[in-house]
Structures are given as C-alpha cells and as structure tokens.
Amino acid sequence: MTKYIAELNIARVRADMDNPIMRGFVDGIASVNAQAEASDGFVWRDCASLKAFMYGELHAYYMKGRREWFHKMDSPHSCLWWVNAGHQPSLTEAKAKLDALTAHGPSEAVFTFAEMNRLPG
C-alpha cells in the first residue's frame, strides 16, 4: 500500500493574531498556504516534496522570523508519521502522535524532521 507523510506542528503565539507584533506572520499565512497547496504532492507523498517546501525560499523566510511571533517550546512541537494513501489524519490522531513522540522519542510510528528519511513502516 502507498504511504504518505503526515505532519503536525504547533506553536505558542506571543500575542493574539490581531496584535501588531503578529502582523508579519499573519500577512504571510495565505501565501505560504497557497504555495504548500500548489506544491508537488501537497499531501506530502514523499520526503523530498516536504523538504522542498520546508526549505524553500518563502517558507524559510517565515521560519527565520518565528522567534518574533512564537515562544520557544521546551517539548516537541512538530512530528511526522506515515499514513496510508487516502487517509486524512484527525487532530486527535495528530495529538496522540505528538504525545507519543514527547513521551517516548522518535520511533517508526512517529518521528521528527531529523529522522525524515525513514522508510514507511
């Protein structure tokens, strides 16, 4: 069965979205999301598609400014896991994956960008 990569990331914002300090982030949401949706394999059919988006010029620009808009987190704030083609993960599933990563570290079931080249399990 074909596997795709699911991804979750969370953040703790420094202020409400309508606060002026969040403006740079809020102004970029639409363009970053549009680029993701137009990316080859937006459902992240492979690690290469996700990496190309993550480290591409537009997304990288906003990643550089993240400390302006978000607090540093002491626990994992993103995770990845393999899903069967056609499966759309729920927020409950994603939270369970992040909780498992936080409690037990990376595994075949859930991992970080550092382990992104894991083969589907």
Side-chain angles (χ1 to χ4, degrees):
M1 171 154 283
T2 302
K3 299 278 188 172
Y4 292 158
I5 197 162
E7 183 262 337
L8 169 74
N9 66 72
I10 61 172
R12 289 186 313 131
V13 294
R14 292 193 175 273
D16 291 336
M17 292 301 211
D18 59 354
N19 187 300
I21 70 167
M22 297 301 294
R23 184 173 185 156
F25 173 74
V26 171
D27 287 352
I29 291 172
S31 59
V32 170
N33 286 345
Q35 186 180 52
E37 290 171 12
S39 294
D40 223 12
F42 173 59
V43 293
W44 311 129
R45 292 176 182 94
D46 56 59
C47 293
S49 297
L50 180 53
K51 280 183 182 179
F53 171 75
M54 289 293 300
Y55 300 111
E57 188 175 336
L58 181 63
H59 189 261
Y61 172 81
Y62 287 98
M63 288 294 293
K64 288 177 187 171
R66 69 186 177 274
R67 286 178 179 76
E68 295 176 39
W69 309 307
F70 305 107
H71 293 285
K72 182 171 174 33
M73 296 182 67
D74 295 327
S75 59
H77 55 86
S78 64
C79 65
L80 301 114
W81 68 101
W82 293 102
V83 296
N84 291 330
H87 174 70
Q88 184 170 352
S90 67
L91 285 176
T92 301
E93 178 183 351
K95 182 178 182 327
K97 293 292 186 178
L98 186 61
D99 290 347
L101 178 66
T102 301
H104 308 291
S107 68
E108 288 186 19
V110 61
F111 45 96
T112 68
F113 284 96
E115 297 90 23
M116 190 164 22
N117 291 324
R118 289 181 183 263
L119 296 173

